[in-house]
Amino acid sequence: MSVPNWNDLLPSYEQIQSMSPEQLKAADQASESYAMTISYGIAAVGTLLANTADSGELGMDTARDLGWLIEALGSLSARLDDTGGGIRDRRNAIKRED
């Protein structure tokens, strides 16, 4: 059994190729919007970490949990960017076919 990852939740290359233009547009907008939201969330967590560390209020368990959260969000953000690129490539290919 393999360890689940973000690739399991996002559309594959084959799924992107079979999407209608409307589905591609919606998926493109969603990937861009969620990637931006995650990026702002990572920045907010960074601010939280810096402020709590400076005040001496950051426990080791909290720091570890936040580290894993940032790792997961960073991986998701990167996968969303890759997926969005694939979607934009497909949308451009469809435009060229028309």
Side-chain angles (χ1 to χ4, degrees):
M1 182 169 118
S2 65
V3 176
N5 63 49
W6 294 117
N7 293 335
D8 299 331
L9 301 174
L10 297 172
S12 67
Y13 174 82
E14 292 78 17
Q15 291 169 320
I16 290 170
Q17 297 304 309
S18 67
M19 287 181 181
S20 70
E22 294 80 19
Q23 290 172 317
L24 287 166
K25 181 179 180 181
D28 190 16
Q29 291 172 339
S31 67
E32 187 174 326
S33 176
Y34 284 119
M36 186 180 311
T37 299
I38 290 168
S39 295
Y40 285 127
I42 291 170
V45 171
T47 300
L48 173 68
L49 279 170
N51 288 329
T52 56
D54 285 345
S55 68
E57 297 178 21
L58 184 63
M60 288 301 291
D61 288 341
T62 302
R64 184 180 308 106
D65 290 345
L66 287 170
W68 287 118
L69 172 65
I70 291 171
E71 187 274 333
L73 291 174
S75 295
L76 175 57
S77 181
R79 289 300 310 138
L80 281 171
D81 189 52
D82 288 346
T83 300
I87 290 168
R88 286 185 290 281
D89 288 347
R90 179 65 182 141
R91 291 183 77 194
N92 289 333
I94 290 172
K95 287 178 187 175
R96 286 191 300 273
E97 292 170 3
D98 290 340

